[in-house]
Amino acid sequence: VLASIISQSLELLSSSSTIAMSSSSSAHLSFLTGRLSPPFSSERVGPPPQRVEFRIPKSRFRCSAGQSGFFTRLGRLIKEKAKSDVEKVFSGFSKTRENLAVIDELLLFWNLAETDRVLDELEEALLVSDFGPKITVRIVERLRDDIMSGKLKSGTEIKDALKASVLEMLAKKNSKTELQLGFRKPAVIMIVGVNGGGKTTSLGKLAHRLKNEGTKVLMAAGDTFRAAASDQLEIWAERTGCEIVVAEGEKAKAATVLTKAVKRGKEEGYDIVLCDTSGRLHTNFSLMEELIACKKAVGKVVSGAPNEILLVLDGNTGLNMLPQAREFNEIVGITGLILTKLDGSARGGCVVSVVEELGIPVKFIGVGEAVEDLQPFDAEAFVNAIFS
């Protein structure tokens, strides 16, 4: 189409002619002025003009930059909020920080002769905080090499190198921590996970955050297995001031509910549709298959949906969350993680383990029970919170 348009334009330029337009659209495309507009007719008019203009059918070329800009600004705003909410993250990881406080004691009077003993105890502290054996050994051996080569000469330098090593692991594989919402409205976010992980609560808290940023949010009660799931989500909808779509009838399928919600979101101009799903064991094949049906259903309504599939993982399970994450990722392709209940344990190192093992970015972390305590994940703030 573009080749044909260019060819016609060159012919018209050589004959000093113009193309007149006959459409109600006000947008014009001009080689000289750069103005944009839509269907054209080739009717000669008046004396040779100073510019050549033609129309492009509106249905063929549609610019969605405005919507793209909206979601880009939203992601940027949430990212900025993560930096401003450092105090909540800091307080949320108090137990992990207490567990790792031994590192400061070890390094306070550090000397080269005690390198092996200090590194052995540092290794134990990292393992207790659920950094995982593979990551722990890698960190400690890197520190050992730098100490022996003379790069690190004091306890302060060792502590800084430890923090830098952890931050590098998080930043390298976790660069897209902001929500990736595409450019079509509504953006669709599916929330998945096992029973008891905090899935519905996380969805409600996420709706609260998004609503506060000025977005129009619609909830979909896609958990059709648990009797109280819809009631719980309706409470969150009322609490956050969001609309909600629930199942009609007791035997409604999750895919049907989500389809209805996304259609409504599309017709009524919602920015984001948050889809709850039934909690399921990652070992239950038939229930995992239902997630595939849900994913396909929303994709038929909005091309490219769902934009995000966020897996909620209970931080109290520590490294036991890894098998869950692997299975869910294999079945539906997880785009991001929400780690919950990190305030109630000394297992903050599991964040690093999950990112390093799976290469899936952590989008949000739960650092408390209040509605504001689902925090956007910021790698630098996290590292400072656990290694104060």
Side-chain angles (χ1 to χ4, degrees):
V1 175
L2 289 174
S4 175
I5 291 172
I6 292 171
S7 176
Q8 292 178 41
S9 301
L10 290 174
E11 291 177 9
L12 291 169
L13 280 170
S14 62
S15 61
S16 299
S17 61
T18 185
I19 300 175
M21 286 154 284
S22 57
S23 166
S24 59
S25 171
S26 61
H28 289 67
L29 183 65
S30 169
F31 282 113
L32 299 181
T33 66
R35 291 187 303 158
L36 221 115
S37 186
F40 48 71
S41 65
S42 59
E43 180 183 321
R44 294 180 181 273
V45 293
Q50 298 301 311
R51 65 176 179 230
V52 177
E53 299 179 342
F54 58 87
R55 301 190 167 190
I56 299 176
K58 190 174 181 180
S59 59
R60 287 195 195 175
F61 299 97
R62 181 188 245 158
C63 177
S64 54
Q67 294 184 12
S68 176
F70 171 81
F71 288 128
T72 300
R73 288 194 300 274
L74 177 63
R76 210 176 285 135
L77 191 59
I78 290 176
K79 203 68 171 162
E80 290 170 2
K81 288 281 186 179
K83 295 184 182 299
S84 66
D85 290 338
V86 170
E87 285 302 317
K88 288 185 178 291
V89 177
F90 190 83
S91 60
F93 285 103
S94 58
K95 292 193 175 182
T96 302
R97 192 164 53 255
E98 289 170 13
N99 206 58
L100 293 171
V102 65
I103 294 174
D104 290 324
E105 298 174 15
L106 289 170
L107 298 177
L108 184 61
F109 300 106
W110 178 85
N111 64 73
L112 189 60
E114 295 187 351
T115 297
D116 288 336
R117 179 187 67 80
V118 169
L119 291 180
D120 285 346
E121 292 192 41
L122 187 150
E123 182 177 295
E124 183 179 343
L126 293 175
L127 287 171
V128 169
S129 296
D130 268 343
F131 274 81
K134 186 169 72 172
I135 293 173
T136 298
V137 169
R138 188 188 308 171
I139 291 172
V140 171
E141 288 307 308
R142 181 184 295 182
L143 291 175
R144 190 188 306 277
D145 291 343
D146 288 346
I147 290 169
M148 294 307 176
S149 66
K151 291 181 181 178
L152 304 176
K153 300 177 182 178
S154 68
T156 301
E157 290 181 353
I158 295 173
K159 174 76 175 290
D160 290 343
L162 171 61
K163 292 172 66 174
S165 184
V166 173
L167 182 58
E168 181 186 349
M169 289 180 180
L170 290 171
K172 182 172 62 175
K173 294 187 177 181
N174 206 28
S175 56
K176 293 184 179 179
T177 55
E178 66 274 13
L179 290 172
Q180 304 296 306
L181 300 177
F183 58 90
R184 291 184 179 88
K185 291 185 181 181
V188 181
I189 301 175
M190 275 178 61
I191 309 292
V192 303
V194 301
N195 286 313
K199 184 166 50 61
T200 303
T201 301
S202 294
L203 187 150
K205 291 180 178 180
L206 179 57
H208 171 77
R209 178 172 286 277
L210 292 171
K211 186 76 184 292
N212 282 352
E213 305 304 345
T215 60
K216 188 179 180 183
V217 178
L218 178 66
M219 294 182 178
D223 186 348
T224 56
F225 282 93
R226 188 163 61 93
S230 292
D231 294 339
Q232 185 183 357
L233 199 61
E234 284 187 79
I235 292 171
W236 273 108
E238 185 177 347
R239 189 176 180 184
T240 57
C242 297
E243 296 294 317
I244 184 171
V245 173
V246 298
E248 295 179 359
E250 295 181 0
K251 295 184 179 180
K253 292 185 178 180
T256 302
V257 177
L258 300 192
T259 298
K260 180 182 176 183
V262 176
K263 281 183 177 178
R264 178 178 168 184
K266 188 175 182 180
E267 291 167 359
E268 298 183 14
Y270 282 86
D271 298 314
I272 297 174
V273 180
L274 291 177
C275 301
D276 195 12
T277 59
S278 301
R280 63 206 71 222
L281 291 173
H282 55 289
T283 52
N284 190 317
F285 182 75
S286 61
L287 287 179
M288 294 294 276
E289 282 286 294
E290 187 193 59
L291 284 181
I292 299 175
C294 290
K295 181 179 179 180
K296 289 180 179 178
V298 299
K300 289 178 181 178
V301 182
V302 176
S303 179
N307 304 84
E308 291 272 13
I309 302 178
L310 303 181
L311 173 62
V312 177
L313 294 171
D314 185 342
N316 284 318
T317 62
L319 295 177
N320 291 325
M321 67 174 67
L322 289 174
Q324 295 177 29
R326 288 193 202 101
E327 289 296 325
F328 276 96
N329 188 45
E330 187 175 333
I331 294 296
V332 289
I334 301 302
T335 61
L337 302 171
I338 298 177
L339 299 187
T340 63
K341 307 178 187 179
L342 291 171
D343 58 314
S345 72
R347 299 175 181 273
C350 65
V351 176
V352 187
S353 297
V354 169
V355 173
E356 180 65 20
E357 173 86 14
L358 302 174
I360 300 173
V362 178
K363 304 280 185 173
F364 295 90
I365 51 175
V367 294
E369 296 181 1
V371 68
E372 299 86 4
D373 288 340
L374 185 72
Q375 295 295 312
F377 181 71
D378 181 85
E380 188 174 352
F382 167 77
V383 172
N384 289 331
I386 62 173
F387 295 109
S388 62

